[in-house]
Amino acid sequence: MSPSAETRRNGAYQHKDRSNLIPFSSRLKEGRALAQDVWSIFNAANLPADCINLGQGYMNFPPPEWVKEAAGEALNQVATNHYSHPRGRIRLRQALKEHYSPELGRDLDVESEILVTSGANEGQYSVFVAFLEQGDEVIMFEPFFDQYLPSVTFNGGVPVYVPLHPPKHDGAHSSSEWTIDFDELRRAVSPRTKMIIVNTPHNPVGKVFTRHELEQIAAIAEEHNLLVMSDEVYDSLVFDDNQHVRIATLPGMWDRTVTVGSAGKMFAATGWRVGWLIGPASIIQPTLAATTRIVFCSNSPLQEATAVGVEQAKKRGFLRQQRDEYAERRAILTAGFDKLGMKYTNPQGSYFVLLDISSVKWPEDYPFPQSVEGRGRDFKACWFIAMEVGVSSIPVSEFYCEAHTPIGENYARFAFCKDVDTLKHAVERLQKLKQFLA
């Protein structure tokens, strides 16, 4: 043993504690990155072996066969097994141009206005790297996608939280009834505000922001010269004839908006980690400089397979068919909640349902693990449901700042991106909740 690892005291050597020699960055604390997060608490390893996972938002079914075949073909070629251009493979950028140009009302430039990233999350992170200075404020609507927080703080940003307000009436309600207090939003803007994140369709609420709501956000962004990150990864999952409005299409907004997309959500391929950013060259070019230094380039064969998917999706009627299949899954899950007589949010988009679990009761002496103590009431409710009913979900207070935890702790997030049989089985199990309702 090295002498530096020991100290001599009273003639005897004693070991030094060498477990934390090098201090880590404070940014890890500021972004909750070191805290035991909801995903590790509600990990399958901690739950009963037969627990049905409706917590995490990944599918238990594969991408469409023709997209998988394209991936196999790409792996059997030479060029697609090597580095791609940091901007992304030209075939994929061209496919994205053809897909999004009509929706954005402009002829996109594949060289300066489209950037392929290693998943939507890495693309967002690269935008923060490219544009945030120390102390810049970023407004995010609560509940927020949990990756926003560390991505902002790691890059010197300061999160500013504006909650969506849930409806107060009893019974099921639409995600459209979660509302923005625009006076509250205006008060959140300060001289240090640099950016606002808009997530539509929204995770976890399922809200599809209306044109009027987006116009009011756009007016604030224009007035205060804010960059808008529009996270639209669920854009292909909008139900009931609701209209998905892209904020980049509103007057004056193209020049200050970056739109985020995801192959994982579009093609049930969350592990592929292929995403994209679309925006003006003034946003895309600095972000390209950042992403080139973070990952250099994204997965080449799966970019090529994604290109085939985007090229053929509309021709095959795939996006419409997929949307209808998700609508069926949503109906199975919500019918189960209706049968229980529980209040929930019916989503206009995405693949999540928020269940009001404020009426769920458990014995005072129930043996909860230490990991859920001191958290929102929803952590205990979700743990209890997983252990006693056998269906896991995610406590929504995880997606709020501490001050706004009381809003989120009434809800659990259930994902319906599962096959029909799994959802039907889960609904059967959930009927056991009746005995635990006040």
Side-chain angles (χ1 to χ4, degrees), residues 210-211 213-216 218 245-254:
T210 66
R211 180 177 296 275
E213 288 170 329
L214 294 174
E215 286 172 343
Q216 292 181 83
V245 179
R246 300 186 187 277
I247 195 170
T249 64
L250 299 183
M253 289 306 292
W254 168 257

Side-chain angles (χ1 to χ4, degrees), residues 342-401:
M342 297 182 73
K343 179 179 175 181
Y344 62 88
T345 298
N346 197 35
Q348 299 164 288
S350 80
Y351 45 61
F352 303 109
V353 176
L354 297 190
L355 178 68
D356 187 328
I357 40 81
S358 58
S359 61
V360 177
K361 304 298 179 184
W362 50 82
E364 288 187 12
D365 59 350
Y366 192 81
F368 289 106
Q370 190 62 37
S371 59
V372 304
E373 298 290 350
R375 308 251 189 166
R377 183 184 183 278
D378 51 334
F379 272 78
K380 286 188 174 181
C382 290
W383 184 268
F384 181 77
I385 292 169
M387 301 302 289
E388 299 301 322
V389 176
V391 180
S392 69
S393 57
I394 293 296
V396 174
S397 66
E398 176 80 354
F399 311 132
Y400 285 83
C401 67

Side-chain angles (χ1 to χ4, degrees), residues 141-188:
F141 292 106
E142 295 175 304
F144 55 82
F145 174 51
D146 61 330
Q147 290 286 358
Y148 295 156
L149 176 57
S151 295
V152 167
T153 59
F154 281 12
N155 288 289
V158 178
V160 177
Y161 307 101
V162 176
L164 297 174
H165 295 280
K168 300 186 183 303
H169 63 78
D170 291 332
H173 54 260
S174 168
S175 57
S176 64
E177 297 179 72
W178 287 67
T179 57
I180 303 166
D181 181 333
F182 281 95
D183 290 334
E184 191 174 17
L185 177 58
R186 285 188 172 277
R187 289 194 300 270

Side-chain angles (χ1 to χ4, degrees), residues 194-205:
K194 182 71 169 285
M195 185 186 305
I196 183 168
I197 303 173
V198 177
N199 177 204
T200 180
H202 186 276
N203 171 15
V205 172

Side-chain angles (χ1 to χ4, degrees), residues 61-70 266-269 272 309 318 322:
F61 49 85
E65 197 63 35
W66 46 278
V67 175
K68 289 195 299 178
E69 289 174 0
M266 185 179 282
F267 297 113
W272 284 19
F318 169 72
Q322 178 176 245

Side-chain angles (χ1 to χ4, degrees), residues 7-8 18 28 36 92 106 111 120 123 126 153 163 169 171 200 238 321 327 329 342 375-376 381 399 413:
T7 56
R8 187 180 180 103
R18 296 176 59 83
L28 296 182
Q36 186 175 20
L92 177 52
R106 61 194 313 112
E111 296 301 325
S126 296
T153 59
H169 63 78
T200 180
V238 178
Q321 175 188 342
R329 297 179 182 118
M342 297 182 73
R375 308 251 189 166
F399 311 132
R413 189 191 80 172

Side-chain angles (χ1 to χ4, degrees), residues 19-228:
S19 60
N20 291 289
L21 291 179
I22 312 301
F24 54 80
S25 169
S26 61
R27 68 173 64 95
L28 296 182
K29 291 183 178 178
E30 294 163 2
R32 295 187 194 170
L34 287 176
Q36 186 175 20
D37 64 22
V38 70
W39 313 111
S40 56
I41 295 173
F42 290 89
N43 186 284
N46 296 330
L47 300 176
D50 66 342
C51 189
I52 299 174
N53 185 355
L54 299 191
Q56 292 173 293
Y58 62 82
M59 302 77 179
N60 69 340
F61 49 85
E65 197 63 35
W66 46 278
V67 175
K68 289 195 299 178
E69 289 174 0
E73 291 171 6
L75 283 168
N76 287 323
Q77 297 173 15
V78 174
T80 45
N81 280 282
H82 298 288
Y83 296 125
S84 293
H85 192 285
R87 293 185 189 280
R89 296 189 67 77
I90 186 59
R91 183 176 181 181
L92 177 52
R93 283 183 283 141
Q94 187 64 40
L96 293 170
K97 168 189 167 76
E98 299 300 323
H99 181 84
Y100 283 98
S101 287
E103 300 195 15
L104 289 166
R106 61 194 313 112
D107 186 26
L108 294 171
D109 185 337
V110 296
E111 296 301 325
S112 63
E113 296 178 335
I114 299 173
L115 175 61
V116 178
T117 59
S118 296
N121 191 42
E122 186 269 319
Q124 292 169 349
Y125 189 89
S126 296
V127 174
F128 296 133
V129 172
F131 285 93
L132 290 183
E133 301 284 2
Q134 192 71 32
D136 282 347
E137 294 176 354
V138 179
I139 295 174
M140 55 183 75
F141 292 106
E142 295 175 304
F144 55 82
F145 174 51
D146 61 330
Q147 290 286 358
Y148 295 156
L149 176 57
S151 295
V152 167
T153 59
F154 281 12
N155 288 289
V158 178
V160 177
Y161 307 101
V162 176
L164 297 174
H165 295 280
K168 300 186 183 303
H169 63 78
D170 291 332
H173 54 260
S174 168
S175 57
S176 64
E177 297 179 72
W178 287 67
T179 57
I180 303 166
D181 181 333
F182 281 95
D183 290 334
E184 191 174 17
L185 177 58
R186 285 188 172 277
R187 289 194 300 270
V189 179
S190 82
R192 291 308 307 267
T193 307
K194 182 71 169 285
M195 185 186 305
I196 183 168
I197 303 173
V198 177
N199 177 204
T200 180
H202 186 276
N203 171 15
V205 172
K207 177 182 177 67
V208 175
F209 284 56
T210 66
R211 180 177 296 275
H212 182 58
E213 288 170 329
L214 294 174
E215 286 172 343
Q216 292 181 83
I217 294 170
I220 293 171
E222 190 72 15
E223 178 183 350
H224 297 280
N225 193 31
L226 306 182
L227 190 159
V228 175

